[in-house]
Amino acid sequence: DVKVTQSSRYLVKRTGEKVFLECVQDMDHENMFWYRQDPGLGLRLIYFSYDVKMKEKGDIPEGYSVSREKKERFSLILESASTNQTSMYLCASSLSLDYGYTFGSGTRLTVV
Amino acid sequence: QQQVKQSPQSLIVQKGGISIINCAYENTAFDYFPWYQQFPGKGPALLIAIRPDVSEKKEGRFTISFNKSAKQFSLHIMDSQPGDSATYFCAALSGGYNKLIFGAGTRLAVHP
């Protein structure tokens, strides 16, 4: 089974800090995604990547950036954390865009 | 155009009953419709999916019904069990957009 691992389950950061959320997948998937999950809003796409060093903006990219230096690793960066970025962050990967995504367990980020 | 509208927001069903969750979409370019199941503390997991060339797909107690003309699809859980209590997300994918668009989610509680 594909495994998508997010490095932290819970994070607490201060406003203005630079925050790195790490995600690693172990099945050589080309495609990786970052979503945030908020009650009543479902999952909203922040950024995605089709290949190494390639990235595309999703629906809510403001305040975020990403890095994909290696195929298996996709990092989400909050350049200057704000309280409205308090959320659950989910990483996913997929072999093909025609098929389902495999999600990690999520990182619950609280910005104080 | 890219929205997927999901209802109800929450659902309570008695054990053995039928759970029904509905989704509607606008974009006729969507060509893949998965359902994800999420338990507390876990990432969403692919449950079942359908393409618009069929009107129904069944896997065990889970059935997707698809109405292309109405641009609606629904998840039916037969003989609902307490272990089915989770949040369910519908989603839609268009190859042209290369990303999954999720509904807002339905929190299902199955009471014994």
Side-chain angles (χ1 to χ4, degrees), chain A residues 9 33 35 37-45 48 50 56-59 88 90 97-106, chain B residues 2 9 31-32 34 36 38 40-46 51 87 89 93-105:
Chain A
R9 291 297 303 273
F33 308 84
Y35 284 85
Q37 181 177 6
D38 300 288
L41 297 177
L43 281 70
R44 293 179 292 165
L45 182 63
F48 59 111
Y50 300 137
E56 283 203 26
K57 292 180 180 179
D59 298 317
M88 170 70 84
L90 290 162
L97 291 169
D98 285 346
Y99 295 91
Y101 298 178
T102 299
F103 281 89
S105 293
Chain B
Q2 289 202 56
Q9 192 171 23
D31 56 9
Y32 174 72
Y36 283 79
Q38 184 181 30
K42 302 287 187 182
L46 180 64
R51 293 192 182 275
T87 299
F89 293 96
L93 175 71
S94 163
Y97 291 108
N98 292 330
K99 59 186 179 182
L100 274 176
I101 308 297
F102 284 86

Coordinates of all heavy atoms in Angstrom, one line a residue, chain A residues 9 33 35 37-45 48 50 56-59 88 90 97-106, chain B residues 2 9 31-32 34 36 38 40-46 51 87 89 93-105:
Chain A
R9 N 2.0 15.6 13.5 CA 0.6 15.5 13.7 C 0.0 16.8 14.2 O -1.1 17.2 13.9 CB 0.2 14.3 14.7 CG 0.5 13.0 14.1 CD -0.3 12.6 12.9 NE -1.8 12.8 13.1 CZ -2.5 11.8 13.6 NH1 -2.0 10.6 13.9 NH2 -3.8 12.0 13.7
F33 N 0.0 16.7 -3.6 CA -1.0 17.8 -3.4 C -1.0 18.2 -1.9 O -0.7 17.4 -1.0 CB -2.4 17.3 -3.7 CG -2.6 16.7 -5.0 CD1 -2.3 15.3 -5.2 CD2 -3.0 17.4 -6.1 CE1 -2.4 14.8 -6.5 CE2 -3.2 16.8 -7.4 CZ -2.8 15.5 -7.6
Y35 N -3.7 20.1 0.7 CA -5.0 20.6 0.9 C -5.1 21.1 2.4 O -4.4 20.7 3.2 CB -6.1 19.5 0.8 CG -6.5 19.1 -0.6 CD1 -5.7 18.2 -1.3 CD2 -7.6 19.6 -1.2 CE1 -6.0 17.8 -2.6 CE2 -7.9 19.2 -2.5 CZ -7.1 18.3 -3.2 OH -7.5 17.9 -4.5
Q37 N -8.1 21.5 5.4 CA -9.5 21.1 5.7 C -10.0 21.9 6.9 O -9.4 22.0 7.9 CB -9.5 19.6 6.1 CG -10.8 19.1 6.5 CD -10.8 17.6 6.8 OE1 -9.8 17.0 6.9 NE2 -12.0 17.0 7.0
D38 N -11.1 22.6 6.6 CA -11.8 23.4 7.6 C -13.3 23.0 7.7 O -13.9 22.7 6.7 CB -11.7 24.9 7.3 CG -10.3 25.3 7.2 OD1 -9.6 25.4 8.2 OD2 -9.8 25.6 6.1
P39 N -13.8 23.0 8.9 CA -15.2 22.5 9.1 C -16.2 23.3 8.2 O -16.1 24.6 8.1 CB -15.5 22.8 10.5 CG -14.2 22.8 11.2 CD -13.2 23.3 10.2
G40 N -17.0 22.6 7.5 CA -18.0 23.3 6.6 C -17.5 23.7 5.3 O -18.3 24.1 4.4
L41 N -16.2 23.6 5.1 CA -15.6 24.1 3.8 C -15.0 22.9 3.0 O -14.5 23.1 1.9 CB -14.5 25.1 4.1 CG -15.0 26.4 4.7 CD1 -13.8 27.4 4.9 CD2 -16.0 27.1 3.8
G42 N -14.9 21.8 3.6 CA -14.4 20.6 3.0 C -12.9 20.7 2.8 O -12.2 21.3 3.6
L43 N -12.3 20.1 1.7 CA -10.9 20.2 1.5 C -10.7 21.2 0.3 O -11.3 21.1 -0.7 CB -10.4 18.8 1.0 CG -10.2 17.8 2.1 CD1 -11.5 17.3 2.7 CD2 -9.4 16.6 1.6
R44 N -9.8 22.1 0.6 CA -9.5 23.1 -0.5 C -8.0 23.0 -0.9 O -7.1 22.9 0.0 CB -9.8 24.5 0.1 CG -11.3 24.8 0.3 CD -11.5 26.2 0.9 NE -11.0 26.3 2.2 CZ -10.8 27.5 2.8 NH1 -11.1 28.6 2.2 NH2 -10.3 27.5 4.1
L45 N -7.8 23.0 -2.2 CA -6.4 22.8 -2.7 C -5.6 24.0 -2.6 O -6.0 25.1 -3.1 CB -6.6 22.3 -4.2 CG -5.3 21.9 -4.9 CD1 -4.6 20.8 -4.2 CD2 -5.5 21.7 -6.3
F48 N -0.3 22.1 -5.9 CA 0.0 20.7 -6.4 C 1.2 20.7 -7.3 O 1.7 21.7 -7.8 CB -1.2 20.1 -7.0 CG -1.8 20.7 -8.2 CD1 -1.7 20.2 -9.4 CD2 -2.5 21.9 -8.1 CE1 -2.3 20.8 -10.5 CE2 -3.1 22.6 -9.2 CZ -3.0 22.0 -10.4
Y50 N 3.2 18.2 -10.4 CA 3.2 17.0 -11.3 C 4.5 16.3 -11.3 O 4.7 15.2 -11.8 CB 2.8 17.4 -12.7 CG 1.5 18.0 -12.9 CD1 1.3 19.1 -13.7 CD2 0.4 17.5 -12.2 CE1 0.1 19.7 -13.8 CE2 -0.8 18.1 -12.4 CZ -1.0 19.2 -13.2 OH -2.2 19.8 -13.4
E56 N 2.1 24.0 -9.2 CA 1.0 24.8 -9.7 C 0.1 25.3 -8.5 O -0.1 24.5 -7.6 CB 0.1 24.1 -10.7 CG 0.8 23.9 -12.0 CD -0.2 23.7 -13.2 OE1 -1.4 24.1 -13.0 OE2 0.2 23.1 -14.2
K57 N -0.4 26.5 -8.6 CA -1.3 27.0 -7.6 C -2.7 26.3 -7.7 O -3.2 26.0 -8.7 CB -1.5 28.5 -7.8 CG -0.3 29.4 -7.6 CD -0.6 30.8 -7.8 CE 0.7 31.7 -7.5 NZ 0.4 33.1 -7.8
G58 N -3.2 26.1 -6.5 CA -4.5 25.5 -6.4 C -5.5 26.7 -6.2 O -5.4 27.8 -6.8
D59 N -6.5 26.4 -5.4 CA -7.6 27.4 -5.2 C -7.3 28.5 -4.2 O -7.9 29.6 -4.3 CB -8.9 26.7 -4.9 CG -9.4 25.8 -5.9 OD1 -9.3 26.1 -7.1 OD2 -9.7 24.6 -5.6
M88 N -6.4 22.1 9.6 CA -5.8 20.8 9.4 C -5.2 20.8 7.9 O -5.9 21.2 7.0 CB -6.9 19.8 9.5 CG -6.4 18.4 9.0 SD -5.2 17.6 10.1 CE -6.3 16.9 11.3
L90 N -3.6 18.6 4.9 CA -3.5 17.2 4.4 C -2.7 17.2 3.1 O -2.9 18.0 2.2 CB -4.9 16.7 4.1 CG -5.8 16.4 5.3 CD1 -7.3 16.4 4.8 CD2 -5.4 15.1 5.9
L97 N -3.6 11.2 -12.4 CA -4.7 12.1 -12.1 C -6.1 11.6 -12.3 O -7.0 12.1 -11.9 CB -4.5 13.4 -12.9 CG -3.2 14.2 -12.4 CD1 -3.0 15.3 -13.4 CD2 -3.4 14.8 -11.0
D98 N -6.1 10.4 -13.0 CA -7.4 9.8 -13.2 C -7.9 9.0 -12.1 O -9.0 8.5 -12.1 CB -7.3 8.9 -14.5 CG -7.3 9.7 -15.8 OD1 -7.6 10.9 -15.7 OD2 -7.0 9.1 -16.8
Y99 N -7.1 8.8 -11.1 CA -7.4 7.8 -10.0 C -7.3 8.5 -8.7 O -6.9 9.7 -8.6 CB -6.4 6.6 -10.1 CG -6.7 5.8 -11.3 CD1 -5.9 6.1 -12.5 CD2 -7.6 4.9 -11.4 CE1 -6.2 5.4 -13.6 CE2 -7.9 4.2 -12.5 CZ -7.1 4.4 -13.7 OH -7.4 3.7 -14.8
G100 N -7.8 7.8 -7.7 CA -7.9 8.4 -6.4 C -6.6 8.8 -5.8 O -5.5 8.4 -6.2
Y101 N -6.7 9.7 -4.8 CA -5.5 10.2 -4.1 C -5.3 9.3 -2.8 O -6.3 8.9 -2.3 CB -5.7 11.6 -3.7 CG -5.8 12.6 -4.8 CD1 -6.0 14.0 -4.5 CD2 -5.8 12.3 -6.1 CE1 -6.1 14.9 -5.5 CE2 -5.9 13.2 -7.1 CZ -6.1 14.5 -6.8 OH -6.2 15.5 -7.8
T102 N -4.1 9.2 -2.4 CA -3.8 8.6 -1.1 C -3.4 9.8 -0.2 O -2.4 10.5 -0.5 CB -2.7 7.6 -1.2 OG1 -3.1 6.6 -2.0 CG2 -2.4 7.0 0.2
F103 N -4.1 9.9 0.9 CA -3.8 11.0 1.8 C -3.0 10.6 3.0 O -3.0 9.4 3.5 CB -5.2 11.6 2.4 CG -5.9 12.5 1.5 CD1 -6.8 11.9 0.5 CD2 -5.7 13.8 1.5 CE1 -7.5 12.7 -0.3 CE2 -6.4 14.6 0.6 CZ -7.3 14.1 -0.3
G104 N -2.2 11.5 3.5 CA -1.6 11.4 4.8 C -2.6 11.6 6.0 O -3.7 11.9 5.7
S105 N -2.1 11.4 7.2 CA -3.0 11.6 8.3 C -3.3 13.0 8.8 O -4.1 13.3 9.6 CB -2.5 10.8 9.5 OG -2.5 9.4 9.2
G106 N -2.5 13.9 8.2 CA -2.8 15.3 8.4 C -1.9 15.9 9.5 O -1.4 15.2 10.4
Chain B
Q2 N -16.7 25.3 -10.8 CA -15.9 24.2 -10.3 C -16.4 23.6 -9.0 O -15.8 22.8 -8.4 CB -14.4 24.6 -10.2 CG -13.7 24.8 -11.5 CD -12.2 24.7 -11.3 OE1 -11.7 23.7 -10.8 NE2 -11.5 25.7 -11.7
Q9 N -25.3 18.3 5.6 CA -24.0 18.6 6.3 C -23.8 17.5 7.4 O -22.7 17.1 7.7 CB -24.1 19.9 7.0 CG -22.8 20.5 7.5 CD -22.9 21.9 7.9 OE1 -24.0 22.4 8.2 NE2 -21.8 22.6 7.9
D31 N -15.2 14.2 -15.1 CA -15.4 12.8 -15.6 C -15.0 11.7 -14.7 O -14.8 10.6 -15.1 CB -14.6 12.7 -16.9 CG -13.1 13.1 -16.8 OD1 -12.7 13.2 -15.6 OD2 -12.4 13.2 -17.8
Y32 N -14.8 12.0 -13.4 CA -14.5 11.0 -12.4 C -15.0 11.5 -11.1 O -14.7 12.6 -10.7 CB -13.0 10.8 -12.4 CG -12.4 9.9 -11.3 CD1 -12.6 8.5 -11.4 CD2 -11.7 10.4 -10.3 CE1 -12.1 7.7 -10.4 CE2 -11.2 9.6 -9.3 CZ -11.4 8.2 -9.4 OH -10.9 7.4 -8.4
P34 N -15.2 10.4 -7.2 CA -14.9 9.5 -6.1 C -15.6 9.9 -4.8 O -16.0 11.1 -4.7 CB -13.4 9.6 -6.0 CG -13.1 11.0 -6.4 CD -14.2 11.4 -7.4
Y36 N -14.8 9.7 -0.6 CA -13.8 9.5 0.4 C -14.5 9.4 1.8 O -15.5 10.1 2.1 CB -12.8 10.6 0.4 CG -11.8 10.5 -0.7 CD1 -12.1 10.9 -2.0 CD2 -10.5 10.0 -0.5 CE1 -11.2 10.8 -3.1 CE2 -9.6 9.9 -1.6 CZ -10.0 10.3 -2.8 OH -9.1 10.2 -3.8
Q38 N -13.6 9.5 5.9 CA -12.6 10.0 6.8 C -13.0 9.7 8.3 O -14.0 10.2 8.7 CB -12.3 11.5 6.6 CG -11.2 12.0 7.5 CD -10.9 13.5 7.3 OE1 -11.8 14.2 7.0 NE2 -9.7 14.0 7.5
P40 N -12.0 10.1 12.4 CA -11.3 11.1 13.2 C -9.8 10.8 13.4 O -9.4 9.7 13.6 CB -12.0 11.0 14.6 CG -13.4 10.6 14.2 CD -13.2 9.6 13.1
G41 N -9.0 11.8 13.2 CA -7.6 11.6 13.3 C -6.9 11.0 12.1 O -5.7 10.7 12.2
K42 N -7.6 10.7 11.1 CA -7.1 10.1 9.9 C -7.3 11.0 8.6 O -8.2 11.8 8.6 CB -7.7 8.7 9.6 CG -7.6 7.8 10.8 CD -6.2 7.2 10.9 CE -6.1 6.1 11.9 NZ -4.7 5.6 12.0
G43 N -6.5 10.7 7.6 CA -6.8 11.4 6.3 C -7.9 10.7 5.6 O -8.2 9.5 5.9
P44 N -8.5 11.4 4.7 CA -9.6 10.7 3.9 C -9.0 9.5 3.1 O -7.9 9.5 2.7 CB -10.0 11.8 2.9 CG -9.5 13.1 3.5 CD -8.3 12.7 4.3
A45 N -9.8 8.5 2.9 CA -9.5 7.3 2.2 C -10.5 7.0 1.1 O -11.7 7.2 1.3 CB -9.4 6.1 3.1
L46 N -10.0 6.7 -0.1 CA -10.9 6.4 -1.2 C -11.9 5.2 -0.8 O -11.4 4.2 -0.5 CB -10.1 6.1 -2.4 CG -10.9 5.8 -3.7 CD1 -11.8 7.0 -4.1 CD2 -10.0 5.3 -4.8
R51 N -17.4 6.6 -13.0 CA -17.2 7.5 -14.2 C -18.6 7.6 -14.8 O -19.5 6.8 -14.7 CB -16.3 6.8 -15.1 CG -14.8 6.8 -14.6 CD -13.8 6.4 -15.6 NE -12.5 6.3 -15.0 CZ -11.7 7.4 -14.9 NH1 -12.1 8.6 -15.2 NH2 -10.5 7.2 -14.3
T87 N -16.8 11.0 8.4 CA -17.2 12.1 7.5 C -17.0 11.6 6.1 O -15.9 11.0 5.8 CB -16.3 13.3 7.8 OG1 -16.6 13.8 9.2 CG2 -16.7 14.5 6.9
F89 N -16.8 12.6 2.0 CA -16.7 13.7 1.0 C -16.9 13.1 -0.4 O -16.3 12.1 -0.7 CB -15.2 14.2 1.1 CG -14.9 14.9 2.3 CD1 -14.2 14.2 3.4 CD2 -15.1 16.2 2.5 CE1 -13.9 14.9 4.5 CE2 -14.8 16.9 3.7 CZ -14.1 16.2 4.7
L93 N -13.4 15.2 -10.6 CA -12.1 15.5 -11.3 C -12.4 15.7 -12.7 O -13.1 14.9 -13.4 CB -11.2 14.3 -11.1 CG -9.9 14.3 -11.9 CD1 -9.0 15.4 -11.2 CD2 -9.2 13.0 -11.9
S94 N -11.7 16.7 -13.2 CA -11.7 16.9 -14.7 C -10.2 16.8 -15.1 O -9.4 17.5 -14.5 CB -12.2 18.3 -15.0 OG -11.8 18.6 -16.3
G95 N -10.0 16.0 -16.1 CA -8.6 15.9 -16.6 C -8.1 17.2 -17.0 O -6.9 17.5 -16.9
G96 N -9.0 18.1 -17.5 CA -8.5 19.4 -18.0 C -8.0 20.3 -16.8 O -7.1 21.1 -16.9
Y97 N -8.6 20.1 -15.6 CA -8.3 20.9 -14.5 C -7.2 20.2 -13.6 O -6.5 20.8 -12.8 CB -9.5 21.2 -13.6 CG -10.4 22.1 -14.2 CD1 -11.7 21.7 -14.7 CD2 -10.1 23.5 -14.4 CE1 -12.5 22.6 -15.3 CE2 -11.0 24.4 -15.0 CZ -12.2 23.9 -15.4 OH -13.1 24.8 -16.0
N98 N -7.1 18.8 -13.8 CA -6.0 18.1 -13.2 C -6.1 18.1 -11.7 O -5.0 18.1 -11.0 CB -4.7 18.5 -13.7 CG -4.5 18.2 -15.1 OD1 -5.0 17.2 -15.6 ND2 -3.7 19.0 -15.8
K99 N -7.2 18.3 -11.1 CA -7.3 18.3 -9.6 C -8.7 17.9 -9.2 O -9.6 18.1 -9.9 CB -6.9 19.7 -9.1 CG -7.9 20.8 -9.6 CD -7.4 22.2 -9.2 CE -8.3 23.2 -9.7 NZ -7.9 24.6 -9.4
L100 N -8.7 17.3 -8.0 CA -10.0 16.9 -7.4 C -10.6 18.1 -6.7 O -9.9 18.8 -6.0 CB -9.8 15.8 -6.3 CG -9.8 14.4 -6.8 CD1 -9.5 13.4 -5.6 CD2 -11.0 14.0 -7.5
I101 N -11.9 18.3 -6.9 CA -12.7 19.3 -6.3 C -13.6 18.6 -5.3 O -14.3 17.7 -5.7 CB -13.6 20.1 -7.2 CG1 -12.7 20.7 -8.4 CG2 -14.3 21.2 -6.5 CD1 -11.7 21.6 -8.0
F102 N -13.5 19.0 -4.0 CA -14.2 18.3 -3.0 C -15.5 19.0 -2.5 O -15.5 20.2 -2.5 CB -13.4 18.1 -1.7 CG -12.3 17.0 -1.9 CD1 -11.1 17.3 -2.4 CD2 -12.6 15.7 -1.4 CE1 -10.1 16.3 -2.6 CE2 -11.6 14.7 -1.6 CZ -10.4 15.0 -2.1
G103 N -16.5 18.2 -2.1 CA -17.7 18.8 -1.5 C -17.3 19.1 0.0 O -16.2 18.9 0.4
A104 N -18.2 19.8 0.7 CA -18.0 20.3 2.0 C -17.9 19.2 3.1 O -17.5 19.4 4.2 CB -19.0 21.3 2.4
G105 N -18.4 18.0 2.8 CA -18.4 16.9 3.7 C -19.7 16.7 4.4 O -20.5 17.6 4.6

